[in-house]
Amino acid sequence: MTEDSPQIQQLKVRYRQSFPEKLAIIRKARSELLQENNITFAREELHKLAGSSGMYGYSELAANCRSAMEKLDTRDSLSSLEAIDAVIKQLDSKI
Amino acid sequence: MIKKKVCMVGEFSVGKTSLTQKFVNNVFSETYLTTIGVKIDTVQIEDTKLVIWDIAGRDSLSPINASYLVGAAGVVLVADGTRLQTVESISEIWSTVREKIGEVPCVVALNKADLEDWCVDNTTIESLRDRGWDVFETSAKDGVMVESLFHKIVEKTKE
Amino acid sequence: MRVCESSSNIKDYGFPELQPGQVIDDAIDFMIGMDVNTKLDLPFVASPNGMSISVSLVPCGDNLTVLISDVSDTTEQRRKLQQAANENELLVERQKKLMAELERASRKLEQKNRQLEEASRLQTSFLSGVSHEFRTPLTSIIGYTNLVLNNLQKTGDEQKGLADCNNDYLSAVQRSSKHLMSLVENLLDHGKLDSDEIVLKPKPNSLKQLIDDVELVLRPLSETKGIEFNVIPPYNETATVMVDDSRLRQCLINLIGNAIKFTDQGSVTVDFNYANDTLQVSILDTGIGISEEDMNKIRLPFYQASGTGKIGTGLGLTITERIINMMGGALDIFSELGEGTLVKFNVHASDLGSLDLDSATRELIKTKSLDILLAEDDPFIADLMILMLKDWNIDVTHVVNGALAVEAVQSHNFDLIIMDIHMPVMSGYEAVLELNRIGSTIPVIVMSASAVEADQKRAAELGCSAYLTKPVDVQEIIETADILLSQ
C-alpha cells in the first residue's frame, strides 16, 4: 500500500490524542465490573476499542481487547480483570 | 365510662350527616337531605362513649347556631373536596367555634374523595396541616378514612 | 349533675324515665358537657324517637331546669324551605362550574382553530408565492427567447451587432433558468425534509475555499444593492475540515442571502470562527430587522413576513435550520424591527489539520466511481474509512445507525453497503433484516470487531455478502466490492 495521505496521518494523530479519554472509559468499565459485575458495559467498550484501535494499526492493543472480551464471555472475573488491566497498561503506555 | 361530645361543623351539603351515619350505622345515601337543627348520635369507641352532634350546615339562610357547640370536647371540621369554597370557609367556621368554646381539639375531613372533580391540591392540604389539624380525605360513600377520622378526634379529646 | 325531679311526659319524646338521684348525662345524651350554670336554648333537636324538640336550659339557684317542647310543625316548614334553598344553591354552584369548564373548552377550541386557519393561510400564500416566484423567471425566459428568435430571423444589415445583443439576452435567460433551478431544489428539499430524506455526505474541505466560494457567490448581490459586505475569516482558515460542503454552502448562501435581501443600506458582516471541531458563523446586518410577531413565525415553513415587499418560497430558513441541526448545530436569531438582525449558528466539522488538499490528491487506481453507504457509529473509524475510500475515488455516505441506513437506502441508490454490527438505535443485523423486508438488493458487507463464528453465521443467514473483521483493510473492501459488483 502507498503511504498515508496527510489527512489520514492527521486523523491518526487525533486518534492517538483520544487515548486518555479511552483510558478513562476502560478504567470506568473495570471499576463497574469490579463493583457491580457490569459485564455488558465492559464488553461494549472493549468491543469499540478493539474495532477502532485495529483500524488505526494498534494491532496488539486490539488483540488484547479481543482477548479480554473472550475472558469476559467465560465469566471468569479474575482473568477478565487481568486482561483488562493489560489493556489499561497498554493504553497508558501510549499516552 | 368517659363521655365525650363532639360536633360536626361545616358548610351545607358537605357530608356531615353522611359521615356520621356511615360511622355510626354503616349506611350511606346519595340523596341530599338537609339537616335542621341538630341530630345526636352515640357510639362506643373502646372505653369512651362518643356523642356526635351532627349540626345543620351553614347556609345562605342561617349561620351556624353556636349554642349547639357548648360542652363539646372536640370538633370535626367538614368540607367538600369538590367544592373549593367549602374548604376555604373552614377558617371562618373555626373562628366561630373558637369564639364560643375556645381551642378545642379538631380534625378536618375533606369529604367526597370518591368523586372525580376533586379540586383540593397538596398546598391547600399542607396549609391546613400547618395549623396543627389532622386532615383526612374521606369518602362517606366508600367508607374511606371514616373510622380513622372519628378515632382520631376521640384520641385527641383524651390528650 | 343528678336528677331532682322530672315530669313523666319525657317518655313521649323517647327519653327514658328518670329516677331522682340518677346521673343526668347517663340517661340523656344532650346533657353531656353541660353544667348547672349553663343557660342555653337548643332549637330543633332531634329527640331519640325522631321528634323535633326545642330544649331550654335555665339555671335557677343551685339547680338547672331543662324545658322540652315539641316543635315538629315549625321544623317541617323550615326543612322544606331550607332543602329548597340549599338545592337551589347547589345547582347554581354546579352551573358556575360547568360554565367555567365550557369557557375553558371553547377557548382551547378557538386557539386550535386559529392555528389551523394560520396553517391553511400559510399554505395558500405559499402556493401563490410559489407560482409568483415561478412566473417571474419564466416570463423573462419567454421574453428574452422571443427577442433572440426575432433577432435570428433578421437578415443582412439588420444582423449587424445583434450577436452581442443576443449574448446579453441569453445570459438573462441563463440567470433566470438558474434561479428557477434553485427554486425547484428548495421545493424538493422541503419535500425531503417532510419525509426525512436528507442525508449528509461529509468530506474533507478546505475551510478557506469554502468561505471564498460563498463570498464569490454573494458579493455581486451586495454590490447590486450598494451595501457593504464584510467577510471575516477565522485565524485558522487554512484548516481542512470534515463537512458536507454543499449543504453548508446552502445554509450560508441562504442566511447571508437573506441578510443582503433585507438590507437596503449599511452593511452585512459575516464573522467565521473555528475551534474545537466547531464552525461558528455570525451574520450581522443593518437591515429592516424582524418584528416580535414575525420572530415567532419565521421558522415555520411557508412563512413570509408581511409588508417587506420581498418574495421567496418561505422555505429557506426552515430547510437551513434543519440542516444545521443535522450537522449537530443550532441556529439563533436576534433582532428588533428597524434595528437590524444578528443570525448565529454553529455546525460540527472535525478538524483534519492545516493541510493542502491538492498535495493530498493521489493517484487513483479505481477508474469507475463507487457510491457506498457506510453505517458506523464510531466517528474515528468512520472518518478513517471515508478518507481511505475517497482515495480510491469512492463516494461515501455516512450514517451512524441502522435506522438511518435503512432511510438512506430508501432515498438513494448505493452500489454497496458497509454495515457495522454494533450500533445504537438499530443494530446492523436489525438493519439488514429491515432491508431484506423492503426488498433491497444492494450487497451488504458486515463489519465487526469480533471474529465470533456465530456472528459470521448469522450474517450469512441474513444474506449478507461478506463478513469482515475489524481492523478492516481498505484493500480488502475494494477487493470484496470488486468481486461482489462483478458478479
Side-chain angles (χ1 to χ4, degrees):
Chain A
M1 245 206 84
T2 42
E3 204 177 292
D4 284 336
S5 77
Q7 289 141 299
I8 291 178
Q9 285 171 15
Q10 185 66 28
L11 204 55
K12 283 184 171 174
V13 172
R14 282 166 51 72
Y15 183 72
R16 199 183 177 116
Q17 282 165 351
S18 75
F19 277 163
E21 203 183 317
K22 293 190 160 59
L23 180 62
I25 291 173
I26 298 298
R27 284 203 165 120
K28 182 165 179 271
R30 184 192 192 274
S31 79
E32 280 193 17
L33 183 69
L34 205 60
Q35 285 160 17
E36 303 157 31
N37 198 30
N38 189 350
I39 297 172
T40 323
F41 181 66
R43 204 183 185 292
E44 270 174 15
E45 292 307 326
L46 285 167
H47 184 99
K48 280 189 206 163
L49 187 57
S52 62
S53 60
M55 296 286 292
Y56 280 85
Y58 297 93
S59 47
E60 204 185 330
L61 179 59
N64 276 337
C65 287
R66 267 194 289 274
S67 126
M69 281 157 65
E70 281 163 20
K71 296 278 174 9
L72 278 174
D73 290 342
T74 63
R75 297 290 187 270
D76 179 344
S77 38
L78 197 66
S79 56
S80 299
L81 278 176
E82 274 172 10
I84 291 175
D85 283 341
V87 172
I88 288 174
K89 199 176 154 199
Q90 205 160 24
L91 263 179
D92 205 12
S93 72
K94 295 193 190 312
I95 291 171
Chain B
M1 164 88 55
I2 309 163
K3 306 186 192 81
K4 297 286 184 189
K5 168 179 173 178
V6 163
C7 295
M8 308 288 289
V9 286
E11 293 273 304
F12 74 95
S13 188
V14 293
K16 297 177 294 296
T17 304
S18 294
L19 284 168
T20 309
Q21 289 310 309
K22 184 72 188 178
F23 182 59
V24 177
N25 300 317
N26 195 25
V27 291
F28 175 80
S29 162
E30 294 274 3
T31 319
Y32 170 57
L33 259 183
T34 180
T35 303
I36 301 295
V38 62
K39 276 185 285 193
I40 300 168
D41 273 291
T42 59
V43 67
Q44 180 95 20
I45 296 180
E46 288 158 15
D47 58 344
T48 306
K49 181 179 177 182
L50 180 66
V51 180
I52 304 169
W53 285 50
D54 173 15
I55 299 173
R58 194 177 71 156
D59 61 46
S60 50
L61 296 181
S62 43
I64 282 179
N65 187 336
S67 310
Y68 296 132
L69 299 168
V70 173
V75 294
V76 179
L77 294 172
V78 186
D80 176 347
T82 68
R83 284 152 68 212
L84 211 53
Q85 72 271 27
T86 68
V87 182
E88 284 159 357
S89 63
I90 281 182
S91 294
E92 227 179 295
I93 292 172
W94 172 246
S95 307
T96 310
V97 172
R98 202 170 44 182
E99 236 170 71
K100 189 71 184 178
I101 57 172
E103 295 266 357
V104 292
C106 166
V107 292
V108 175
L110 300 176
N111 194 33
K112 308 194 187 179
D114 52 283
L115 294 184
E116 270 180 20
D117 47 350
W118 185 261
C119 55
V120 188
D121 55 21
N122 286 336
T123 325
T124 313
I125 293 178
E126 280 313 310
S127 74
L128 293 171
R129 292 204 166 120
D130 285 347
R131 305 177 70 155
W133 297 335
D134 291 281
V135 181
F136 294 86
E137 293 175 44
T138 60
S139 163
K141 186 176 178 180
D142 302 336
V144 173
M145 298 305 279
V146 176
E147 292 266 332
S148 316
L149 176 76
F150 285 101
H151 281 266
K152 189 72 191 182
I153 189 63
V154 170
E155 184 187 305
K156 288 186 95 168
T157 59
K158 290 203 276 187
E159 276 167 7
Chain C
M1 229 180 345
R2 290 174 188 276
V3 177
C4 297
E5 54 175 323
S6 76
S7 64
S8 62
N9 71 343
I10 67 161
K11 283 189 293 183
D12 300 345
Y13 303 112
F15 293 109
E17 204 169 335
L18 298 175
Q19 304 300 325
Q22 192 178 359
V23 176
I24 185 72
D25 55 9
D26 281 348
I28 297 186
D29 292 336
F30 69 71
M31 288 306 289
I32 291 168
M34 309 298 179
D35 60 44
V36 284
N37 299 316
T38 316
K39 183 179 185 307
L40 208 58
D41 274 323
L42 300 171
F44 308 114
V45 178
S47 77
N49 66 0
M51 286 174 72
S52 186
I53 56 170
S54 165
V55 177
S56 296
L57 307 183
V58 188
C60 46
D62 289 343
N63 292 337
L64 181 69
T65 306
V66 181
L67 299 167
I68 296 174
S69 56
D70 179 356
V71 288
S72 299
D73 291 348
T74 10
T75 310
E76 212 32 57
Q77 284 171 8
R78 200 188 158 96
R79 183 192 307 283
K80 277 180 193 154
L81 204 68
Q82 194 164 309
Q83 178 83 23
N86 288 359
E87 277 177 5
N88 190 40
E89 197 158 327
L90 284 174
L91 265 176
V92 172
E93 273 178 25
R94 184 90 203 119
Q95 201 173 4
K96 270 189 202 158
K97 213 169 179 174
L98 284 173
M99 290 291 279
E101 267 169 39
L102 198 69
E103 202 170 318
R104 254 200 311 279
S106 109
R107 261 203 304 274
K108 237 184 200 166
L109 211 66
E110 228 169 79
Q111 199 185 352
K112 191 90 201 152
N113 211 3
R114 268 202 303 274
Q115 283 170 349
L116 283 175
E117 270 171 21
E118 179 72 4
S120 136
R121 200 188 60 75
L122 289 175
Q123 287 273 14
T124 313
S125 80
F126 166 70
L127 280 179
S128 62
V130 166
S131 55
H132 182 100
E133 280 286 274
F134 275 72
R135 201 172 293 129
T136 314
L138 278 172
T139 310
S140 113
I141 291 171
I142 294 167
Y144 283 117
T145 42
N146 274 339
L147 290 174
V148 174
L149 283 175
N150 280 343
N151 284 348
L152 291 178
Q153 279 162 7
K154 289 174 182 162
T155 49
D157 284 352
E158 282 180 332
Q159 274 242 344
K160 277 180 191 163
L162 284 184
D164 283 351
C165 191
N166 279 347
N167 276 344
D168 288 347
Y169 293 162
L170 287 173
S171 306
V173 169
Q174 195 180 35
R175 267 201 309 278
S176 295
S177 307
K178 278 183 180 164
H179 180 54
L180 261 182
M181 190 60 159
S182 76
L183 276 176
V184 171
E185 275 168 359
N186 254 356
L187 279 172
L188 286 178
D189 270 358
H190 185 257
K192 282 182 185 168
L193 274 181
D194 279 347
S195 54
D196 282 330
E197 276 178 24
I198 290 187
V199 284
L200 294 178
K201 294 190 173 188
K203 58 174 189 280
N205 278 286
S206 149
L207 200 52
K208 186 175 187 323
Q209 189 66 52
L210 229 153
I211 295 170
D212 287 350
D213 277 359
V214 171
E215 187 177 351
L216 206 67
V217 173
L218 290 162
R219 187 161 293 284
L221 203 62
S222 66
E223 276 165 4
T224 323
K225 294 202 68 176
I227 57 172
E228 214 180 298
F229 183 44
N230 312 307
V231 175
I232 307 168
Y235 73 92
N236 45 0
E237 65 174 342
T238 52
T240 301
V241 300
M242 197 74 165
V243 73
D244 183 333
D245 58 321
S246 74
R247 289 299 179 190
L248 178 59
R249 204 175 289 125
Q250 182 182 0
C251 294
L252 285 166
I253 290 175
N254 181 275
L255 293 174
I256 302 171
N258 267 346
I260 296 172
K261 183 162 145 189
F262 292 107
T263 304
D264 291 330
Q265 51 189 345
S267 62
V268 171
T269 304
V270 189
D271 192 358
F272 290 89
N273 275 295
Y274 181 64
N276 300 325
D277 293 338
T278 303
L279 178 66
Q280 282 185 317
V281 184
S282 68
I283 303 155
L284 179 69
D285 70 50
T286 59
I288 55 171
I290 304 164
S291 73
E292 211 180 312
E293 196 198 339
D294 284 331
M295 190 64 110
N296 295 324
K297 298 180 184 166
I298 46 173
R299 289 161 197 250
L300 295 174
F302 312 132
Y303 186 78
Q304 294 186 67
S306 53
T308 58
K310 314 286 177 187
I311 309 159
T313 51
L315 291 174
L317 195 60
T318 318
I319 296 168
T320 301
E321 183 167 30
R322 179 67 185 276
I323 292 172
I324 288 172
N325 292 154
M326 285 177 76
M327 290 180 161
L331 174 74
D332 284 311
I333 303 172
F334 311 90
S335 185
E336 258 176 65
L337 197 58
E339 299 293 323
T341 302
L342 172 64
V343 177
K344 281 174 126 169
F345 75 92
N346 56 71
V347 294
H348 178 82
S350 300
D351 188 358
L352 299 175
S354 303
L355 299 166
D356 181 1
L357 270 185
D358 290 337
S359 76
T361 314
R362 294 167 57 209
E363 208 179 314
L364 299 180
I365 300 170
K366 198 82 183 166
T367 46
K368 179 188 149 205
S369 87
L370 272 182
D371 213 347
I372 287 188
L373 174 66
L374 170 67
E376 164 67 65
D377 62 323
D378 187 323
F380 275 113
I381 298 181
D383 284 355
L384 185 65
M385 289 187 66
I386 292 168
L387 285 176
M388 293 193 302
L389 290 166
K390 198 184 148 50
D391 283 348
W392 291 78
N393 198 20
I394 292 173
D395 200 4
V396 180
T397 299
H398 173 219
V399 292
V400 294
N401 65 50
L404 291 172
V406 175
E407 256 182 56
V409 167
Q410 281 166 321
S411 63
H412 190 89
N413 277 330
F414 295 102
D415 298 308
L416 183 73
I417 302 168
I418 302 176
M419 183 90 76
D420 184 29
I421 291 178
H422 295 272
M423 286 186 290
V425 185
M426 188 191 268
S427 77
Y429 284 144
E430 289 168 310
V432 173
L433 264 176
E434 186 60 22
L435 288 173
N436 288 345
R437 200 184 61 78
I438 62 171
S440 160
T441 54
I442 307 169
V444 179
I445 299 180
V446 180
M447 184 170 71
S448 174
S450 74
V452 183
E453 218 169 281
D455 275 352
Q456 302 192 12
K457 206 174 148 207
R458 173 113 198 261
E461 278 166 6
L462 287 172
C464 298
S465 309
Y467 184 102
L468 300 180
T469 309
K470 289 178 192 169
V472 179
D473 187 4
V474 171
Q475 195 81 39
E476 209 177 346
I477 293 178
I478 303 289
E479 280 165 10
T480 314
D482 249 354
I483 298 166
L484 289 176
L485 298 171
S486 58
Q487 273 168 6

